[in-house]
Each structure stands twice: as C-alpha cells, then as structure tokens.
Amino acid sequence: MDLLKDVLFNQVAVIELETKANEYKKLVEKYTKEFNSLPAKSLKYARLDRERQVNDKLYMLLKTKYQESRISEASKMSNVRIVDPAIPPEEPVKPNKRLNLILGLLVGLFLGVGIAFIREYFDRSVKTAEELQSYGLSAVAIVPEIDVKTALERFQKISRDPESEEPLKARLVTHYDPKSSVAEAYRTLRTNIQFSSPDKPIKTLVISSAGPGEGKSTTVANLAITFANLGKKTVLIDADLRKPILHKVFDMQRDPGLTHAIIGSHAIDDVVKKTEIDNLSIITCGEIPPNPSELLASYKLSSILGELREKYDVVLFDSPPVIAVTDATILSTVTDGILLVVRANKTDTRALQRAVELLSHVKCNVLGAVLNGVSVSGGYGSYYYYYHYYYYYGDGHRKKKRAKRKKRETRAY
Ligand SMILES: Nc1ncnc2c1ncn2[C@@H]1O[C@H](COP(=O)(O)OP(=O)(O)O)[C@@H](O)[C@H]1O
Ligand SMILES: [Mg+2]
C-alpha cells in the first residue's frame, strides 16, 4: 500500500514536474525568441547610444562656448555702468533761437552805435547854430531846406506857365511862396540884419561862404526880395564874377552889367535893371573879366558903391567863396558888413575856420552866419521851428516858446 501510495505520489509529482518543465520550455522558447531578436535591438541601441554621446559632446561644447562668451561679456562690461539713463530732449538742441536772437540784437546794436560814432567822428560838417558860435560867428538866421518840388509847383502856378521847368527861378521862394516857412526864415534874417547895428544901419552887405554851393546866391536873392517887400529901395549886385547866376534866376540878360560900369563903358544907371518885384533892382555881372579881383578892388567900384548908397536903401552883393578867391574879402572892406552862409551838414568846419581867419586879416564887419538848408524833418528840425515861432508870434509868446525850446533841445541832443 505504501508502495502504491508512493507510486501515485510520484506520478503526481512527475505530472507536476512535467507541467513545470513545459512551462519552463515555454519560457525558454520565449526567451530564446527574445534573445534572437536581441542583435537588431542592440545595434539600434548602439547607434542611438553613439548619437547620444555625440550630442552629449556637442552640448558640452556649446555650453562651454556659451559660458566662455558670458565670461568675456561680463569682463568687458565690468567698468561701464548706467548711472542715469539718457533723456531725449523735447526741443531741438540747435539752433538756439533765443540765444541767436539776443546775440543778433546785441551785435546789431553795437554795430549801429559803432557806425554812428565813426560817422560822427569823421563828419566834420557844421550842424548846429551853437557850433557857429565856436567860430566866433553869431547865428543870424536858420534857413530850412527848400522843398524844391513844392517851390516849383508854386512857381508854375503863379507864373501861369505850367510847363515851366525852371528850378532856378523856383529858388525865389520869398516871392512865389511868401507864406512858407522858408520865406519866414529869410524875413527873420532881414530883421536880424536890420537890428544888428541900430546906430549905423547896414546899407551895403556882402553875402559869401567858405566854399561853393552853400547857398550864397539863393540867400542873397531872397534877402533882397524881403528887403524890397518892406518898401526899401533895394539893389542886388551879382559880384560873383566867376560863376554869375543871378541874371538866370531873375531871367535877365547878363550884359550890360557890373563889369561894364567898372570899366566905364556904361553909366551905372544903364546897368541897373528893374525886376517884376517892386523896389528891387538888379545889376547883373556883365562881361566875365579875366581879372575879377582887380576890378572889385578898383577905385571905380568904391565910387559906384558910393553912388548906389545915395540912390538905394539897401545894396546887396552876391560873391564868390571866401577861401577860393579874395573877391568877397575885398568887397567886405568897402561895405558895411559881410554875412557868411553855412550849409548845414555840408560846410566843413576847417573850411569855415579858414574863412573866418581870412576875414579877420582885413578890416571888415562880419555880421555872422546863416545856417542854411537845415533839415526840417531831421533832429534839428525842431530847432528851426523854435526860430520860426519865435519871430512869428513876437514878445507875448517868447517866454512860453523859450520854455518849450529848452525841452525840445534836451530831447533832440
Ligand atoms: N535852403 C536851401 N534848401 C534847399 N536847397 C538849397 C538851399 N539853399 C541853396 N540850395 C541849393 O543849393 C545849390 C547851390 O545854391 P547857390 O545859392 O547857387 O549856392 P552858391 O551861390 O553858394 O554857389 C542850388 O541848387 C540851390 O537850389
Ligand atoms: Mg552863387
């Protein structure tokens, strides 16, 4: 029994072990199978592993480079720091308009003042009546500048000849425009001459100037008209034997004239010509001689003058400039006085000084000077107006005007 039992037991064990063996066989088969597929996988693995190694190396290389570049970057930037970020300006930096404007203004101002100073420094012309006094000349009158255009219009109206283009005749503003301020100035001149020496009235007078073109002929012609207008028998003599002009101004024949009377070819009455103005006569210059100074210095001229003195209340002489020739100086010794015409802003102070010096060498009576051609619109205009009103209103207004004048003068200078 025991044996059977052992057999049975062993049989069961065999079956059990066979089953196990089968199971193991299956496992072996499975593993064999798996094992057989291993070479392909290992190949793939080996390939991938190589790839990994390469990538590993590449990665390491790149990382090294990156770190290197970071280090070099950090080392370069080491001494540079942004302390304060830049702020972009809202307005353009250049051009600085305000600065340029101020600079321009200053430069312009200095330039203007500088030029004014330089001009003033080099301008040696006489400008004011006060300047005349520094040469020992009293300002007998101040004659404003004649507005030639207006004077010509007036002349054309009165002469009833609208086509007339004679600026020469238009100079006689005292006749054609007696109400003008220029005529008023000439009347002032007349008044001042009359009152310059009340005891011994000026009957014979020479008008001259330092240089040419200062207004001798214009002044003497207008002065003669104002004397004639006053009812004085006046004779105007063109003793500028070098550049005679009065015959043209009064529209007359030049011959016969003064030179004819001096050389004795004509009697004095034959050379005196009446004008359209009452009480005014003219002696034109006559033939222009080669030796005017000798003729004027002749005894004959003195006797002619004596004769004219008898017949006329006022005898006026136009003459050449004092500096150029001696004619005016000679005449001044035989007449009651000499008046110098000074053209404002034109007459050179040195020339005027020389003229005064030349006249001081002879025995003559220098009445003073007429400041001619003073600009009315300019700074000195106000100065002239003072004179204008002064004589126009007479005594009653003098004080008021004098006060006003002082104010104006302080403003003008
Ligand atoms: N007050 C004045 N205003 C404007 N022009 C004047 C004045 N006086 C003179 N003139 C002008 O000056 C120029 C010279 O004048 P003129 O009397 O012939 O001078 P002169 O006889 O001294 O040579 C002329 O053209 C004249 O018209
Ligand atoms: Mg003249």
Side-chain angles (χ1 to χ4, degrees):
M1 223 15 222
D2 279 341
L3 265 170
L4 199 63
K5 223 181 169 178
D6 272 351
V7 168
L8 270 172
F9 197 75
N10 281 338
Q11 270 179 341
V12 170
V14 166
I15 288 164
E16 195 184 302
L17 284 171
E18 272 176 352
T19 314
K20 263 190 182 172
N22 280 338
E23 284 299 311
Y24 281 126
K25 255 182 200 165
K26 274 182 190 168
L27 261 174
V28 167
E29 267 171 30
K30 189 184 160 207
Y31 285 123
T32 315
K33 224 179 179 176
E34 274 182 16
F35 185 77
N36 285 342
S37 69
L38 250 178
K41 277 192 175 170
S42 71
L43 263 173
K44 195 178 175 184
Y45 167 77
R47 206 183 63 239
L48 286 174
D49 193 46
R50 227 175 17 249
E51 224 167 85
R52 178 193 60 83
Q53 279 173 7
V54 170
N55 284 339
D56 251 7
K57 273 184 187 163
L58 194 65
Y59 171 74
M60 283 309 291
L61 192 77
L62 287 177
K63 192 151 185 176
T64 316
K65 288 278 175 203
Y66 172 66
Q67 292 298 349
E68 266 175 18
S69 60
R70 268 191 68 182
I71 288 163
S72 75
E73 194 182 45
S75 68
K76 264 186 206 160
M77 301 284 281
S78 63
N79 53 0
V80 178
R81 276 185 309 144
I82 295 171
V83 178
D84 199 9
I87 305 160
E90 279 168 22
E91 282 176 25
V93 179
K94 250 183 169 183
N96 188 336
K97 280 185 192 164
R98 195 183 296 168
L99 185 78
N100 287 358
L101 211 72
I102 292 168
L103 270 178
L105 212 74
L106 283 177
V107 170
L109 195 76
F110 278 112
L111 220 68
V113 171
I115 288 169
F117 265 109
I118 289 167
R119 275 188 65 172
E120 191 68 22
Y121 185 75
F122 287 105
D123 184 3
R124 290 171 177 269
S125 62
V126 179
K127 289 179 199 65
T128 63
E130 280 78 5
E131 272 178 76
L132 294 175
Q133 267 146 23
S134 65
Y135 298 97
L137 297 165
S138 65
V140 185
I142 293 171
V143 177
E145 193 157 339
I146 300 165
D147 181 358
V148 180
K149 215 176 132 210
T150 328
L152 204 65
E153 276 170 17
R154 280 269 173 184
F155 169 72
Q156 285 166 349
K157 223 188 254 175
I158 286 176
S159 65
R160 286 180 224 96
D161 180 9
E163 296 301 307
S164 176
E165 273 291 334
E166 282 201 67
L168 266 173
K169 291 185 82 179
R171 279 193 211 183
L172 304 178
V173 279
T174 331
H175 182 53
Y176 295 113
D177 196 3
K179 283 189 186 138
S180 67
S181 51
V182 182
E184 186 60 47
Y186 284 118
R187 282 194 287 273
T188 303
L189 174 62
R190 178 195 67 197
T191 314
N192 286 358
I193 290 168
Q194 279 180 313
F195 288 103
S196 64
S197 58
D199 299 334
K200 187 179 173 281
I202 306 286
K203 277 195 88 173
T204 56
L205 180 66
V206 187
I207 311 286
S208 193
S209 68
E214 299 193 16
K216 298 178 289 294
S217 305
T218 309
T219 306
V220 81
N222 282 294
L223 184 63
I225 293 169
T226 56
F227 269 117
N229 287 345
L230 206 64
K232 301 254 182 207
K233 269 191 85 183
T234 309
V235 64
L236 172 57
I237 304 166
D238 196 347
D240 186 351
L241 302 180
R242 314 203 181 229
K243 275 188 183 167
I245 200 172
L246 291 182
H247 60 280
K248 287 184 195 157
V249 175
F250 286 91
D251 209 6
M252 290 171 170
Q253 292 291 316
R254 200 186 68 190
D255 299 337
L258 180 65
T259 52
H260 295 101
I262 295 172
I263 59 169
S265 66
H266 287 71
I268 190 72
D269 289 336
D270 295 339
V271 295
V272 176
K273 294 165 186 136
K274 286 221 164 294
T275 64
E276 60 181 44
I277 299 156
D278 288 345
N279 301 314
L280 181 62
S281 299
I282 306 267
I283 298 178
T284 55
C285 87
E287 195 77 40
I288 296 180
N291 53 344
S293 304
E294 278 76 30
L295 284 191
L296 295 173
S298 67
Y299 175 75
K300 183 71 177 166
L301 183 99
S302 307
S303 72
I304 289 171
L305 195 56
E307 210 175 314
L308 293 172
R309 236 181 230 280
E310 298 290 313
K311 290 180 181 166
Y312 293 90
D313 299 322
V314 180
V315 182
L316 297 173
F317 285 95
D318 189 9
S319 66
V322 172
I323 292 180
V325 285
T326 67
D327 303 15
T329 318
I330 292 167
L331 282 172
S332 72
T333 59
V334 292
T335 50
D336 297 337
I338 180 166
L339 194 70
L340 286 175
V341 176
V342 174
R343 189 72 177 255
N345 299 314
K346 186 188 171 210
T347 304
D348 192 276
T349 50
R350 289 163 298 182
L352 184 63
Q353 178 132 39
R354 179 77 190 132
V356 172
E357 215 173 278
L358 285 170
L359 289 173
S360 71
H361 294 155
V362 296
K363 194 173 168 289
C364 68
N365 175 23
V366 182
L367 291 186
V370 179
L371 191 63
N372 184 35
V374 174
S375 167
V376 180
S377 52
Y380 301 107
S382 54
Y383 182 53
Y384 145 71
Y385 272 120
Y386 151 67
Y387 264 76
H388 175 67
Y389 289 116
Y390 189 99
Y391 293 102
Y392 199 75
Y393 286 106
D395 267 333
H397 290 255
R398 275 189 191 184
K399 273 182 192 154
K400 223 195 263 173
K401 293 290 160 191
R402 200 172 286 162
K404 270 195 181 171
R405 175 208 180 194
K406 274 205 172 136
K407 247 191 213 168
R408 276 206 203 102
E409 274 179 348
T410 34
R411 238 184 287 149
Y413 295 102

